């Protein structure tokens, strides 16, 4: 089971880009990288998923280098409503999808 | 909208009094998970079902049990809640196909133990 390491917290201002890097040195060949967002008193919500290279959707981009030992979630032009905890999960076939500590992102006006 | 529904959203119980939390899904997903999330901590996987196959995490206390009577429903039973079991309990589902698994979470059930 791939263990993930993320920064505990990050501060930003409205309109800036936020990049959160997750390390997963023992990622397995079949593992996907998935990011979730969690607001207080709510369940986590899927943001983006990737296997290699770059993935972009309407809310974020995910950059994965060739060795796949890390990944970077990029949130463009954040707003106050992006203040949340962001989790990086690595895994696929074994269904043991365990959360790391997560990164608390605080966006200030 | 297809979704994951948890009931109740808030549950207060007394020390040692059994509690059952429920989860239902309209996604027809094969896998259902229960996570425990304590204040300011990450969700911790308790167990999951792949269809009817139950998979317990090694460090999940015996005090926690689960039932999945059909595809749509899954229950978390806490037989004798202690003060340390106060937490948010999150139900999640995933398709269960090989490859990527994306979790869809319910809103959670917050348990208070008096």
């Amino acid at each position: 089971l791939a263990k993930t390491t993320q920064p505990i917290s990050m501060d930003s201002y409205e309109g800036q880009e936020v990049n959160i890097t997750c390390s997963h040195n023992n990622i397995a060949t079949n593992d996907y990288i998935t990011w979730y967002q969690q607001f207080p008193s709510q369940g986590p919500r899927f943001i983006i998923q990737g296997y290699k290279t770059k993935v972009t959707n309407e809310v974020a981009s995910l950059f994965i280098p060739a060795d796949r030992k890390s990944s970077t979630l990029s949130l463009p032009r954040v707003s106050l409503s992006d203040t949340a905890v962001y989790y990086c999960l690595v895994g696929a076939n074994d269904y043991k999808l365990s959360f790391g500590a997560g990164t608390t992102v605080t966006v200030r006006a | 909208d297809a979704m994951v529904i948890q009931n109740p959203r808030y549950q207060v119980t007394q020390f040692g009094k059994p509690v059952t939390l429920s989860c239902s899904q309209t996604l027809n997903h094969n896998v259902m998970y229960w996570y425990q999330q304590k204040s300011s901590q990450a969700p911790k996987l308790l167990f999951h079902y792949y269809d009817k196959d139950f998979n317990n995490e090694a460090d999940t206390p015996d005090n926690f049990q689960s039932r999945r009577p059909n595809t749509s429903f899954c229950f978390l039973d806490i037989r004798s809640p202690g003060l340390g079991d106060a937490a948010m309990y999150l139900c999640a589902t995933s398709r269960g196909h090989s490859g990527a698994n994306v979790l869809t979470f319910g809103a959670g059930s917050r348990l208070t133990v008096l």
Side-chain angles (χ1 to χ4, degrees):
Chain A
L1 185 64
K3 177 179 165 60
T4 60
T5 304
Q6 306 172 229
I8 296 297
S9 64
M10 298 182 73
D11 288 344
S12 184
Y13 290 92
E14 285 189 293
Q16 290 188 335
E17 179 180 81
V18 172
N19 295 305
I20 310 169
T21 296
C22 178
S23 297
H24 28 80
N25 291 319
N26 60 339
I27 188 169
T29 303
N30 293 332
D31 285 345
Y32 281 70
I33 300 154
T34 312
W35 286 81
Y36 294 85
Q37 175 192 56
Q38 187 178 27
F39 298 114
S41 299
Q42 295 185 25
R45 182 175 73 110
F46 169 81
I47 301 175
I48 196 166
Q49 183 180 70
Y51 182 79
K52 61 180 179 180
T53 64
K54 177 185 174 182
V55 180
T56 298
N57 62 21
E58 62 276 8
V59 298
S61 294
L62 179 59
F63 300 91
I64 305 168
D67 66 6
R68 303 201 328 123
K69 293 184 184 299
S70 68
S71 59
T72 299
L73 174 72
S74 180
L75 304 172
R77 298 178 298 282
V78 294
S79 63
L80 296 176
S81 63
D82 292 316
T83 293
V85 180
Y86 292 83
Y87 294 100
C88 161
L89 268 70
V90 174
N93 293 328
D94 61 4
Y95 312 116
K96 285 180 173 287
L97 296 172
S98 297
F99 285 76
T103 299
T104 299
V105 172
T106 303
V107 180
R108 306 181 194 280
Chain B
D1 287 340
M3 56 179 56
V4 180
I5 304 292
Q6 292 189 243
N7 283 299
R9 289 295 315 279
Y10 302 92
Q11 176 74 57
V12 180
T13 190
Q14 293 180 332
F15 184 95
K17 187 173 181 181
V19 162
T20 295
L21 306 176
S22 75
C23 177
S24 64
Q25 57 131 339
T26 59
L27 298 160
N28 203 32
H29 282 175
N30 294 314
V31 192
M32 295 188 78
Y33 306 79
W34 281 104
Y35 288 85
Q36 178 194 61
Q37 187 173 29
K38 296 185 177 181
S39 181
S40 301
Q41 296 184 20
K44 178 180 182 294
L45 181 62
L46 296 174
F47 25 59
H48 75 271
Y49 275 93
Y50 187 104
D51 289 335
K52 294 184 178 180
D53 293 333
F54 178 70
N55 296 272
N56 199 29
E57 292 301 296
D59 57 355
T60 298
D62 292 340
N63 197 29
F64 293 85
Q65 303 286 318
S66 185
R67 296 169 284 137
R68 189 179 185 185
N70 54 54
T71 301
S72 302
F73 285 87
C74 195
F75 299 95
L76 171 62
D77 300 309
I78 308 175
R79 295 192 295 188
S80 182
L83 297 179
D85 296 327
M88 175 78 87
Y89 290 88
L90 296 163
C91 175
T93 70
S94 70
R95 288 186 187 278
H97 298 167
S98 61
N101 265 309
V102 174
L103 297 169
T104 301
F105 282 86
S109 293
R110 183 168 295 283
L111 177 67
T112 300
V113 182
L114 302 177

